[in-house]
Amino acid sequence: MTSPQPAETRTRGRSAQTATLAEIAREAGVSAPTVSKVLNGRADVAPATRARVEELLRAHGYRRRRAEATRSPLIDLVFHELESAWAMEVIRGVENVARDAGLSVVLSESAGRLTPGRTWADQVAARRPHGVVLVLSGLDQSQRALLTSRSIPFVVMDPAGDPGGDVPSIGATNWQGGLAATRHLIELGHSRIGAISGPTRMMCSRARVDGYRAALETAGLPADPGLVRTGDFHHETGYRQGLELLRRPDRPTAIFAGNDLQALGLYEAARELGLRVPEDLSVVGFDDLPVARWVGPPLTTVRQPLTEMAEAAARLVLDLGRDEGSAAATRVELATSLVVRSSTAAPPML
């Protein structure tokens, strides 16, 4: 007569054999309850013991059996940096899906780091949420292994770097957005067009500038490196880099600001130098935050469907959580669109 399979079992390993908690415990030289404590993110395990057990869980490809009854009614939402106006659109989208599913949202911030700290991963393991949505962030290999072994699915929204072919992600057509913004300025008659990018370490930022360059090259216009400045998606860098561009003797007549917050900083720089938008300077942003409609003049921008992207990420992570199998990684890109308002016009007669 055989014993019933344990509730927690490994499905894949180095030699495809089955490893139970008891077998992992024996190999680690600890008790099965200690392995269970590590799996559940309990704090009362010595760091050296925890590291040894985690390494064995990774080596054996251990995956906890998914069971709805063991999950907390939560979705973890992780920002690399909480930016009020931008983040609110994302929070709204995840909340919409969570509310419909009877779940709550836990917010975390990784203080500007592109991966959360180890303490965060242990806390998630202890919470046992339905899933994790990471925004402009990612996970290192040990964090991915930890969540995978607990059968906690995760999805990256707008990944900062290449998330890898096996990581589900939701993004937007950033390259197409940069192309559309710059093409709009070219069609108005501008030939000296500047750009203020976001951080170069972020894929979305690089894609937007690549779209900007592609539009110039397609139109037969030179891409002057001196007209491209690196920002960080904050108001202050839009202002500071805007001043530098607008103080040039051969200043641009139009600037693609990379995101709406930098565009607002650029507005401030133009006012300080006595330049009028759009009579003396045309400005295009990216995101279409609510404030873009109310600034003076209303901002021409590329609409990034942030709320819809967040909803898609939340739905995907819940779908992955319902699937006992290992679903193929999914990359979804939602379309951007140009929203023309009053911050762009034909260039001045210089």
Side-chain angles (χ1 to χ4, degrees), residues 274-332:
L275 298 174
R276 299 164 299 163
V277 176
E279 291 85 354
D280 303 311
L281 174 71
S282 287
V283 177
V284 181
F286 200 110
D287 285 334
D288 195 24
L289 298 176
V291 68
R293 298 190 295 272
W294 307 117
V295 293
L299 178 66
T300 294
T301 186
V302 176
R303 182 177 186 272
Q304 179 174 213
L306 293 170
T307 300
E308 293 90 335
M309 289 164 63
E311 289 173 342
R315 281 194 296 267
L316 178 56
V317 83
L318 293 181
D319 288 345
L320 292 173
R322 296 184 189 105
D323 181 9
E324 288 288 342
S326 55
T330 302
R331 169 66 180 175
V332 177

Side-chain angles (χ1 to χ4, degrees), residues 158-174:
D158 222 355
D162 181 3
D166 58 342
V167 177
S169 62
I170 305 291
T173 54
N174 288 290

